Amino acid sequence: MVSSVTPWWKALKIRKEIISASGQIDDVQMSLFQAVHGLGAEKPPYAVPAYYGEITHPTDRLTDLLTEIAVRIGGGPDYLKARAVTRLDQGMGGGKSHACIGAFHLAAHPEALLKTELGQRVAARAKAKVGRGLPTDLNRPHVVVLPCDNMTPGAPVQELDGPAVSLYERFLWRLFSKDYSLYERYQPFWSDKSKIAEAIKAVNRPVLIIVDEVLDYIGNGLDGAKKPELVAQDVAFLRALLDVVNDVPCVAMLVVMIASDRDKTALSAEAQARRDDLNSLLERNGTPATVTEVGDFADILRRRLFDAEPAAEVLAATAALYRPVLEDKSWTKHVWGPIASDWRSRWDEEVAACYPFHPMLMAIAKEEWSKVTGFQRVRSTIRIFAATVYALQQRGKVGEWVPALIGPGDLPLSDSAVREALLGSGLVEDERTISNYRSLAEIEVINNDAAAGAARRQDIERQAVLWSDDNPRAAERAATFVFLASIVGTLRPGRGRGASAPEVKAATSVPNITYTVTDADTVVEELLNPGRGMSAVEIIPGQGHNKPARYFLSTRLTHRMLVNNIRRTITDAERDQVIADFAQRLANSGPFRDLQFVKAEPERSATDVLATAGLDTAYTTRLIVLDPAQYSLRNGMEKPTIEALTVAMGLGKGTQQLPVQWASSAVYAVVNTQRRGLARTLAIEYLARQKALAAPEVQNDADLKATGTKEFASAKDQLEKALKRAYQHVAYLAQPDPDGERYLDQLTFDDEHSTALDGTIVWKALAERDKVFDQGQFGAKALLHNMRDTDYGKTLSDIRAAFYSAPRLPLLYGGDRDLQQAIHDAVAAGLIDVVDGVGNVVAVTAPNQVNLASAGLRLAKPKPKTCETCGKAAHQGPCETEVGGQTGTGTGGGGGAGSTGTGTGSTTPSANCPTCGKPAHEGNCQTTQSATEQQVSFSFTRSLLASPGDADNFASLFKTLYMALDERKISYLQGTLQLVLDTDAAADLQQRLSELGIHGTVKDM
């Protein structure tokens, strides 16, 4: 683009209300009710006459309508030179409400409106009509507004209607400005023409009556009132009023009722009869009128969207910018000539009239869109173009490419406001078709974030060419025009269905000769390529030069086509998310007590994510599944994962060394890099079929739904299998040599049926490497085999912790239960002892009595048995004793507690009794073998409410227990205690139990 030409988005200032609404202009559909009765924030800007005049282009028809009203109410004796009753009957979105508001301002604020450009034209035309100027106040007319689309029959609004109920009464209340005496005088005469005329004359001022959307009231509205008397009165009043208005001087009436051939409102038989009756009265008494025509589109748009006209030099420079391409012989032969572009012959004038829109786009709006029955001419066009200019202006502000004139390929479908304005404009009426085209816009043209879509990808991926900077969105522009031509269907007058090849090329043109027709051909060919371009486009072959090929987007999608289209829109984030979801769902802990999944965080390093994931859980064997989006092994891409695992297992160096205590009991499931690639491909297939199945066009088609359901199930099965195979690696902390260094070890499954996502498979594989004990492998002998000399004397809590924290010790299949059983069995077999803090042996009668949390009980090697006669190590045969310096032999062997010994080598009695160990004595000895500990067990069930005194007794009991615990006189506790107590006390007790690692059950009574 020539730098000296000011771009339109700088030459024109978009109205602030459009900018503040981000292009989604709010007040396109004007409301007469809000303009008249709106208060505060609900009062729209166009309620001010000056602003209304500023945004209103004075079309000939609107000017004529307001002139007729001005002459009728302000022309004095010349009032008969203007019609009394005017009916606005054009379809939706044609400017009826806009015209009613103009009429209201003309009568209610004549001096303010007549100062605007619109008002000045009305005044000039009225002067020409009556031969003199009208008074600036139009003789102070009075306005009666009946906004029937905001009035419920039989349900008045006190603030607006006062005591009035019927339509006639509401008319009177507004006519007399709430004068109750006049209202009561004429209230009974709802069908008396003379009285109605007398009432109007009683105001003693010109009167303008505006009845907006009258069908909303007399149609189904009166049916809903279910008041036959009210229906009769309201219909009779309207019939009388339409006759009276013609007979009363200086009275004008403006009625809005869409012609029946343009109105699709469903009516009851009674409502239809009322409509027909009113329609015949309006045809007899009133003159139909419209306020816009297609020729006004460009002027209306520019006035509505921008707050000033463009400078003449900008228009001239912009027109000149395009002339070289418009006069190029090749473009003329292959493009301009075949599309019969009439605007080309009047190029300068057309640019001046349409700026900033390309004459080709404006011609489509005038000649094609306006012919569509459901299209709301002015309203829809303003919405579409307001969203368009705002979106393109935003691109220009950030330095992106913006066309010199907005053409038919430049409506940015990536902007939701533009896309929805198009689809909701009436060009497409069927909801299912609208939904289909919404999908096609994103799939085939461009998606919401402008990063995908068949056409958009071609522009992004295109290698740099000579015209890249001048036309960076060539494919998107071509596809956008095909989209616009497709949504109109077969209603393109004289053009057939879809877009012709020359039209599509024209939509890609730019005012720069570096972009040639050959380049346009290449862009279109790539766009239509079934493998790389739009897959939903259908091509109607051409027939010679006069009948070129035509293209249109078909909404009759096959399932494969839809899947192909959706596949292109799936992002890496979506793909990785579904893989993560599947991995979590497919994983099972097996013998591992806990299963954890570490979610990828791309914005952080793999090491930071693992280091802060809270994985160091005490006394718990854990299978930790790592998200494939951030972690994988092999194929030269494993370094970040290895580093992260090294730090997570406490093997890091320097600042990377974390205080990890329980790394030995954590096992990591990691995906294989190469197999992850296959899983990612299948994840995209799964997502594409999932989205296709959820699409409205599939859900509403039984055949497509059946196909989609079958393919979705197959894609899900394939993804599950591939993901299980992809999780091929297991990483864990190893130390096979108890005196060696700890290190990170790995286990790889080579067969197709094993997966690291299955905790049972992982456990069995680790058992073969002596990292874990499999079920039933850990017993008393295994316990002693894995204990070193330094382990004896350690507390039970230390021994327990070692089996979770020391990698030299294998993990236990049943965890604490296996360790309790092994200790019990070892004690029972005499292989080991459990002793208290002073070395006294503690009895272990059941596995669950082994308190692994105890910091007072220890494991010890069993003490050797001694001869009870000589006190030395147990032996066979006679023992030797020393008595008075002499040596003799005894017969004690194993040395039971009650065995005796008799000296055979000396007559001197031994110094001590061999039975009781006391000094030698005559006769029988008395032995007192007192036990160091005793077992106490008791149970009780007592209601302390019935026996208040028992509370003190139990307090003493528990105080005794407390003292015994405090003085370390209890070495073992077992029991279940069930209490019913105060809520606060229960909370305190629960906290104490938690500190002991005891799970307490608390429930409300």
Side-chain angles (χ1 to χ4, degrees):
M1 185 183 296
V2 180
S3 58
S4 60
V5 178
T6 303
W8 63 261
W9 53 272
K10 289 185 177 179
L12 294 173
K13 183 180 179 182
I14 300 176
R15 290 193 180 277
K16 61 181 181 180
E17 62 267 25
I18 296 176
I19 294 176
S20 63
S22 300
Q24 299 185 59
I25 187 166
D26 293 328
D27 57 358
V28 176
Q29 185 175 354
M30 289 189 172
S31 169
L32 175 63
F33 177 82
Q34 291 298 338
V36 176
H37 300 295
L39 297 173
E42 294 184 356
K43 195 173 189 67
Y46 52 78
V48 178
Y51 179 79
Y52 173 86
E54 182 183 336
I55 65 172
T56 302
H57 174 68
T59 66
D60 284 342
R61 295 189 178 187
L62 178 60
T63 302
D64 179 68
L65 170 67
L66 297 185
T67 299
E68 292 290 311
I69 294 174
V71 171
R72 185 75 185 184
I73 62 176
D78 295 311
Y79 76 92
L80 289 174
K81 292 182 179 180
R83 58 183 180 265
V85 179
T86 301
R87 173 193 181 177
L88 296 179
D89 67 347
Q90 64 196 101
M92 296 294 291
K96 298 184 301 300
S97 294
H98 197 105
C100 286
I101 294 170
F104 169 75
H105 284 317
L106 178 66
H109 317 102
E111 294 178 344
L113 186 71
L114 291 174
K115 291 179 181 178
T116 67
E117 181 184 355
L118 173 63
Q120 290 171 4
R121 290 199 182 189
V122 169
R125 189 167 296 185
K127 181 177 181 179
K129 191 177 185 71
V130 300
R132 61 181 174 82
L134 300 181
T136 56
D137 64 354
L138 297 181
N139 298 323
R140 298 175 53 250
H142 179 69
V143 189
V144 176
V145 178
L146 295 174
C148 291
D149 54 344
N150 283 277
M151 300 172 73
T152 302
V157 177
Q158 179 67 33
E159 295 80 1
L160 303 177
D161 303 309
V165 175
S166 68
L167 189 61
Y168 170 62
E169 291 171 344
R170 293 179 177 185
F171 167 78
L172 288 180
W173 190 252
R174 288 164 170 79
L175 178 67
F176 296 135
S177 300
K178 304 181 181 180
D179 186 321
Y180 200 86
S181 60
L182 285 174
Y183 168 79
E184 283 193 316
R185 181 186 306 173
Y186 292 99
Q187 181 185 12
F189 309 108
W190 41 267
S191 64
D192 189 326
K193 295 180 183 179
S194 63
K195 287 295 184 180
I196 294 175
E198 183 180 321
I200 295 174
K201 293 175 184 178
V203 178
N204 201 28
R205 293 163 58 186
V207 175
L208 171 63
I209 303 168
I210 304 176
V211 184
D212 190 20
E213 300 294 356
V214 65
L215 188 61
D216 285 6
Y217 188 95
I218 69 161
N220 294 331
L222 279 177
D223 284 345
K226 298 185 183 301
K227 297 178 179 180
E229 182 179 349
L230 179 67
V231 173
Q233 289 184 8
D234 285 346
V235 172
F237 161 65
L238 286 172
R239 292 178 63 89
L241 181 64
L242 286 170
D243 286 337
V244 165
V245 170
N246 280 297
D247 301 331
V248 181
C250 300
V251 176
M253 183 174 182
L254 184 60
V255 181
V256 175
M257 190 173 86
I258 301 174
S260 57
D261 59 338
R262 298 187 185 99
D263 192 353
K264 297 183 178 181
T265 303
L267 298 175
S268 66
E270 295 78 6
Q272 183 65 49
R274 291 192 293 271
R275 173 183 183 167
D276 294 341
D277 182 48
L278 184 59
N279 194 60
S280 64
L281 287 170
L282 287 171
E283 289 177 353
R284 184 180 71 192
N285 295 304
T287 303
T290 57
V291 292
T292 60
E293 54 186 344
V294 293
D296 302 323
F297 272 15
D299 293 322
I300 292 174
L301 282 171
R302 192 149 67 202
R303 181 67 70 94
R304 192 69 179 85
L305 303 183
F306 306 102
D307 66 359
E309 292 292 311
E313 57 269 22
V314 173
L315 297 176
T318 303
L321 195 64
Y322 281 83
R323 193 165 289 112
V325 174
L326 292 173
E327 295 175 352
D328 181 84
K329 293 182 179 180
S330 182
W331 277 97
T332 299
K333 177 181 179 180
H334 298 287
V335 177
W336 312 128
I339 68 175
S341 49
D342 295 339
W343 41 264
R344 180 167 157 263
S345 61
R346 305 185 305 275
W347 178 248
D348 289 359
E349 294 83 354
E350 290 288 339
V351 170
C354 300
Y355 188 88
F357 304 104
H358 195 290
M360 182 178 177
L361 173 60
M362 198 55 63
I364 291 172
K366 293 177 182 178
E367 299 167 10
E368 298 181 20
W369 294 357
S370 63
K371 300 294 191 299
V372 179
T373 303
F375 184 69
Q376 300 177 21
R377 286 185 182 179
V378 178
R379 186 184 307 162
S380 295
T381 309
I382 290 176
R383 280 192 174 130
I384 294 169
F385 287 10
T388 295
V389 296
Y390 175 79
L392 293 179
Q393 184 196 60
Q394 297 307 302
R395 288 184 184 177
K397 286 183 176 180
V398 297
E400 294 185 20
W401 180 84
V402 177
L405 290 174
I406 303 170
D410 298 319
L411 275 63
L413 297 180
S414 58
D415 187 274
S416 60
V418 175
R419 185 178 61 251
E420 295 307 314
L422 269 170
L423 295 175
S425 66
L427 291 174
V428 186
E429 294 186 342
D430 176 71
E431 285 298 327
R432 179 177 178 184
T433 306
I434 289 174
S435 178
N436 291 346
Y437 274 119
R438 184 178 291 114
S439 298
L440 287 178
E442 295 189 15
I443 296 168
E444 301 289 30
V445 186
I446 186 171
N447 70 344
N448 287 341
D449 61 6
R456 180 60 181 154
R457 276 197 305 274
Q458 289 196 354
D459 288 329
I460 294 174
E461 297 169 1
R462 182 182 297 113
Q463 294 183 353
V465 290
L466 186 62
W467 47 269
S468 292
D469 293 337
D470 297 307
N471 199 5
R473 293 177 176 264
E476 178 191 337
R477 299 172 76 208
T480 298
F481 180 67
V482 174
F483 179 85
L484 291 182
S486 299
I487 64 176
V488 180
T490 59
L491 299 175
R492 300 193 68 200
R495 297 183 182 274
R497 187 179 188 187
S500 69
E503 287 178 312
V504 177
K505 296 171 190 175
T508 71
S509 67
V510 289
N512 195 313
I513 58 174
T514 59
Y515 182 75
T516 66
V517 171
T518 303
D519 296 323
D521 287 336
T522 301
V523 169
V524 175
E525 288 173 4
E526 283 294 308
L527 190 63
L528 302 175
N529 185 290
R532 301 184 297 276
M534 299 189 297
S535 59
V537 68
E538 292 193 21
I539 302 174
I540 303 174
Q543 298 177 5
H545 183 72
N546 295 327
K547 290 187 176 182
R550 305 190 70 84
Y551 319 117
F552 66 93
L553 292 171
S554 173
T555 58
R556 296 177 299 181
L557 298 176
T558 65
H559 187 260
R560 178 177 297 179
M561 181 189 304
L562 188 60
V563 168
N564 288 341
N565 293 337
I566 294 176
R567 184 188 295 117
R568 301 170 182 172
T569 69
I570 294 171
T571 64
D572 290 349
E574 289 180 294
R575 175 204 65 196
D576 291 342
Q577 182 60 53
V578 77
I579 289 177
D581 293 341
F582 266 68
Q584 292 181 75
R585 184 173 57 81
L586 294 173
N588 68 80
S589 60
F592 291 93
R593 183 178 173 184
D594 192 20
L595 176 67
Q596 294 175 260
F597 184 84
V598 178
K599 186 76 177 68
E601 298 181 39
E603 67 279 2
R604 301 172 62 202
S605 70
T607 298
D608 287 344
V609 173
L610 273 191
T612 58
L615 304 176
D616 200 33
T617 307
Y619 309 116
T620 306
T621 54
R622 303 162 325 272
L623 178 61
I624 301 171
V625 180
L626 301 184
D627 192 337
Q630 196 162 26
Y631 302 94
S632 69
L633 294 175
R634 306 292 187 271
N635 206 28
M637 299 175 65
E638 64 180 11
K639 184 178 179 181
T641 301
I642 294 295
E643 291 176 350
L645 288 170
T646 300
V647 171
M649 293 183 183
L651 301 177
K653 304 297 183 182
T655 58
Q656 294 292 306
Q657 187 172 9
L658 296 182
V660 182
Q661 181 177 356
W662 311 100
S664 179
S665 49
V667 175
Y668 295 83
V670 193
V671 79
N672 176 273
T673 305
Q674 185 174 358
R675 293 188 179 187
R676 178 183 64 181
L678 175 60
R680 283 176 166 174
T681 300
L682 293 175
I684 293 175
E685 295 297 324
Y686 167 83
L687 276 172
R689 283 162 176 79
Q690 183 187 54
K691 292 186 176 183
L693 184 59
E697 53 266 47
V698 173
Q699 288 295 316
N700 296 327
D701 188 302
D703 292 337
L704 286 178
K705 186 175 182 180
T707 301
T709 301
K710 180 179 179 181
E711 292 194 12
F712 174 66
S714 176
K716 178 181 179 183
D717 183 61
Q718 292 182 44
L719 176 57
E720 288 180 349
K721 290 180 179 178
L723 193 55
K724 287 180 180 179
R725 293 171 182 171
Y727 271 94
Q728 191 180 8
H729 306 291
V730 177
Y732 58 94
L733 187 62
Q735 190 183 11
D737 182 359
D739 298 320
E741 294 291 329
R742 301 179 176 190
Y743 64 92
L744 171 66
D745 201 358
Q746 296 179 32
L747 169 67
T748 299
F749 296 116
D750 294 323
D751 65 289
E752 296 295 315
H753 304 291
S754 297
T755 175
L757 293 176
D758 189 327
T760 301
I761 293 175
V762 171
W763 192 275
K764 288 188 175 297
L766 292 175
E768 296 177 0
R769 293 200 170 193
D770 296 329
K771 171 62 181 175
V772 303
F773 284 107
D774 207 352
Q775 187 174 16
Q777 288 184 345
F778 185 69
K781 292 183 178 180
L783 171 66
L784 266 64
H785 175 76
N786 283 277
M787 290 188 64
R788 298 181 294 187
D789 288 341
T790 55
D791 293 329
Y792 292 99
K794 290 183 177 180
T795 66
L796 292 185
S797 64
D798 289 339
I799 297 297
R800 176 199 184 195
F803 275 94
Y804 293 98
S805 61
R808 66 178 180 83
L809 295 175
L811 302 179
L812 305 181
Y813 186 92
D816 290 354
R817 294 192 306 274
D818 283 0
L819 183 57
Q820 287 176 313
Q821 185 68 52
I823 293 175
H824 169 267
D825 294 346
V827 170
L831 302 176
I832 202 167
D833 282 339
V834 175
V835 300
D836 60 15
V838 295
N840 296 321
V841 176
V842 177
V844 177
T845 59
N848 60 4
Q849 290 185 348
V850 179
N851 182 12
L852 296 180
S854 173
L857 300 180
R858 305 172 184 274
L859 290 184
K861 292 182 179 181
K863 295 181 180 179
K865 294 181 180 180
T866 59
C867 175
E868 295 179 355
T869 301
C870 64
K872 297 182 179 180
H875 55 85
Q876 297 294 326
C879 56
E880 297 181 352
T881 59
E882 288 186 6
V883 181
Q886 300 295 321
T887 301
T889 59
T891 60
S899 61
T900 59
T902 304
T904 59
S906 175
T907 59
T908 305
S910 61
N912 296 306
C913 174
T915 301
C916 64
K918 295 181 179 180
H921 56 82
E922 295 296 333
N924 296 329
C925 61
Q926 295 181 351
T927 59
T928 57
Q929 295 180 329
S930 61
T932 60
E933 290 186 320
Q934 291 182 319
Q935 184 183 67
V936 179
S937 62
F938 59 92
S939 62
F940 55 86
T941 300
R942 190 73 55 87
S943 171
L944 301 183
L945 295 177
S947 304
D950 286 348
D952 294 335
N953 296 331
F954 273 100
S956 298
L957 169 64
F958 289 122
K959 184 175 181 181
T960 302
L961 287 174
Y962 165 75
M963 295 297 296
L965 285 168
D966 189 53
E967 295 173 2
R968 302 294 190 272
K969 293 182 178 181
I970 298 178
S971 62
Y972 179 75
L973 287 172
Q974 179 190 6
T976 299
L977 191 61
Q978 190 176 78
L979 310 173
V980 178
L981 67 168
D982 179 81
T983 300
D984 293 337
D988 185 54
L989 183 61
Q990 182 75 356
Q991 180 180 350
R992 304 303 177 193
L993 291 173
S994 298
E995 293 172 357
L996 288 171
I998 298 173
H999 174 71
T1001 300
V1002 179
K1003 62 181 181 180
D1004 294 336
M1005 297 298 293

